[in-house]
Amino acid sequence: GENVEQHPSTLSVQEGDSAVIKCTYSDSASNYFPWYKQELGKGPQLIIDIRSNVGEKKDQRIAVTLNKTAKHFSLHITETQPEDSAVYFCAEEGAQKLVFGQGTRLTINP
Amino acid sequence: EAGVAQSPRYKIIEKRQSVAFWCNPISGHATLYWYQQILGQGPKLLIQFQNNGVVDDSQLPKDRFSAERLKGVDSTLKIQPAKLEDSAVYLCASSPEMGRPRGANVLTFGAGSRLTVL
């Protein structure tokens, strides 16, 4: 079955620095990989996604890279700001449903 | 457009009691999902509806959990009797179309219902 491993579980960076979160998946048939941001007391919100026919996708300060051979994908946040503090989840699409990683709590220190 | 509405936001019950959660998806969304999010973990799919039919309930503990989506709009998730390990946030999500949750068919989540079982 599908399984997504996400690391690290917690990440603390200085404001302005970059943050990287990595995920590894097991289902070689998966070809859609979204990232969700969850703020305290709210539901997860999609921030960026990537399909398997693309190696990298950028949207302003966030980017996602995908290595299908190694079955891992990463979220990159540059020039971090206090409002980036949240829990981030990667996910893979398997059998028409999303399977989520365990989450990374990102803290931006002023 | 209005988001996914859920109620109640918080519920505290004792074990072996029952509880029900309600979800109103975004208007016109065909697919509705219930996820369970235990503290410190990612959301886990419990059940997926397309209109008022069940697509996937393979991870729903059917001896105690039930869900319905009457008329293909609102949905309720019930737990009876509750166990301590049911303490979690129950997230409802919806997407516009049937099929793969990707591209324009992204999931929109509600704020969730936090359940504490004592």
Side-chain angles (χ1 to χ4, degrees):
Chain A
E2 304 92 358
N3 185 47
V4 182
E5 295 290 329
Q6 183 172 347
H7 299 280
S9 57
T10 60
L11 180 61
S12 183
V13 301
Q14 290 297 120
E15 183 178 350
D17 288 350
S18 297
V20 181
I21 303 169
K22 299 181 180 180
C23 288
T24 304
Y25 62 98
S26 58
D27 187 355
S28 57
S30 295
N31 52 22
Y32 175 68
F33 307 92
W35 285 88
Y36 282 79
K37 175 183 181 182
Q38 187 173 27
E39 297 176 318
L40 192 62
K42 298 182 179 180
Q45 181 178 18
L46 178 72
I47 55 171
I48 194 168
D49 56 14
I50 191 168
R51 300 190 186 193
S52 60
N53 58 348
V54 176
E56 181 176 2
K57 183 177 179 181
K58 293 184 70 174
D59 183 4
Q60 299 181 8
R61 294 187 299 107
I62 59 174
V64 58
T65 58
L66 171 65
N67 184 327
K68 281 218 75 177
T69 302
K71 290 194 280 189
H72 64 71
F73 56 111
S74 301
L75 177 71
H76 305 253
I77 306 174
T78 59
E79 301 172 21
T80 53
Q81 301 171 3
E83 55 264 36
D84 295 330
S85 293
V87 179
Y88 291 81
F89 293 97
C90 61
E92 65 161 340
E93 178 206 304
Q96 298 194 25
K97 67 182 181 184
L98 291 181
V99 177
F100 287 85
Q102 299 91 333
T104 297
R105 180 173 298 279
L106 175 63
T107 302
I108 308 301
N109 301 310
Chain B
E1 83 186 336
V4 176
Q6 290 189 245
S7 68
R9 288 297 311 275
Y10 306 94
K11 188 74 176 179
I12 300 174
I13 61 173
E14 294 187 351
K15 60 183 179 183
R16 291 187 289 274
Q17 288 187 325
S18 63
V19 62
F21 302 111
W22 173 82
C23 172
N24 180 238
I26 292 175
S27 178
H29 277 197
T31 308
L32 185 147
Y33 312 78
W34 282 102
Y35 282 83
Q36 180 191 58
Q37 186 176 22
I38 293 172
L39 186 65
Q41 299 182 18
K44 183 185 80 171
L45 181 68
L46 291 176
I47 188 167
Q48 176 183 345
F49 293 94
Q50 285 176 353
N51 297 312
N52 60 354
V54 175
V55 174
D56 185 345
D57 64 357
S58 58
Q59 297 190 87
L60 187 74
K62 298 180 187 63
D63 58 333
R64 298 184 299 106
F65 286 64
S66 64
E68 60 182 7
R69 189 183 185 196
L70 298 176
K71 301 181 181 178
V73 182
D74 293 6
S75 177
T76 56
L77 175 71
K78 297 180 181 178
I79 308 174
Q80 181 179 17
K83 292 185 175 181
L84 297 177
E85 59 260 36
D86 298 331
S87 293
V89 175
Y90 291 86
L91 294 164
C92 179
S94 68
S95 62
E97 303 168 3
M98 295 183 288
R100 298 181 180 277
R102 61 165 65 177
N105 200 29
V106 298
L107 271 67
T108 301
F109 284 87
S113 296
R114 180 178 296 278
L115 172 65
T116 301
V117 182
L118 303 176

